[in-house]
Amino acid sequence: MKPGMKEGQTAVVSFEVTPDMFAQFEGNVVHPAYSTVSMVYHMEWASRKIILPYLEEHEEGIGGAVQVKHIAPSGAGTKVQVKATLIELKKNTVLTKVEASNEAGLIGVGEVVQAILPKEEIKKKIESSLMV
């Protein structure tokens, strides 16, 4: 890992809610609102943006855990901003606090854990999972 990553760093993902982000299962929309699945995706993406500048050529980040509380709905066309803040860095493990907001206020909070590992190690873990 390249030097310089430190607690307090932030990254943001901003977007407008579209129908592909609605709460749905098997292609059937349950609610025409921003889904928890999409929120998790955007929280992981904002968190990943923090680590990207610090990855060495032979490294990659891999998700370790996600904790999310979806507080309020956000309908089609609303503008959402997801902010990740690095709150703890221990060796190769990165913990970020994440917050999602729209024009009306806070819609979600959580934490994302990522591990930075050699690409070869990740490849071996994936390959060994296929042998089960």
Side-chain angles (χ1 to χ4, degrees), residues 47-62:
S47 297
R48 179 168 172 75
K49 286 177 73 173
I50 290 176
I51 70 168
L52 285 175
Y54 303 99
L55 295 176
E56 299 280 357
E57 184 64 32
H58 70 282
E59 296 175 321
E60 185 52 87
I62 188 166

Side-chain angles (χ1 to χ4, degrees), residues 2 6 21 27 30 42-43 49 52-53 63 65 69 76 83 107-108 111 120 122 127:
K2 296 175 187 172
K6 60 182 185 271
M21 298 176 195
V30 178
H42 290 115
M43 288 178 167
K49 286 177 73 173
L52 285 175
K69 184 173 183 182
K83 180 180 179 182
I107 62 169
E111 291 182 346
E120 192 60 35
I122 294 171
E127 288 171 354

Side-chain angles (χ1 to χ4, degrees), residues 34-89:
Y34 186 50
S35 68
T36 305
V37 169
S38 294
M39 184 179 287
V40 169
Y41 170 84
H42 290 115
M43 288 178 167
E44 285 197 286
W45 178 229
S47 297
R48 179 168 172 75
K49 286 177 73 173
I50 290 176
I51 70 168
L52 285 175
Y54 303 99
L55 295 176
E56 299 280 357
E57 184 64 32
H58 70 282
E59 296 175 321
E60 185 52 87
I62 188 166
V66 177
Q67 179 184 355
V68 174
K69 184 173 183 182
H70 197 150
I71 298 169
S74 197
T78 54
K79 292 176 179 31
V80 175
Q81 182 179 74
V82 177
K83 180 180 179 182
T85 304
L86 197 158
I87 60 171
E88 188 175 298
L89 177 60

Side-chain angles (χ1 to χ4, degrees), residues 79-132:
K79 292 176 179 31
V80 175
Q81 182 179 74
V82 177
K83 180 180 179 182
T85 304
L86 197 158
I87 60 171
E88 188 175 298
L89 177 60
K90 285 188 178 176
K91 295 185 182 181
N92 68 326
T93 303
V94 180
L95 172 63
T96 54
K97 174 181 78 172
V98 285
E99 295 180 336
S101 301
N102 65 14
E103 298 98 327
L106 195 64
I107 62 169
V109 295
E111 291 182 346
V112 174
V113 176
Q114 300 171 87
I116 297 175
L117 298 172
K119 290 177 182 178
E120 192 60 35
E121 185 177 331
I122 294 171
K123 180 181 173 189
K124 286 179 185 175
K125 288 178 184 288
I126 292 169
E127 288 171 354
S128 70
S129 75
L130 299 174
M131 295 180 202
V132 175

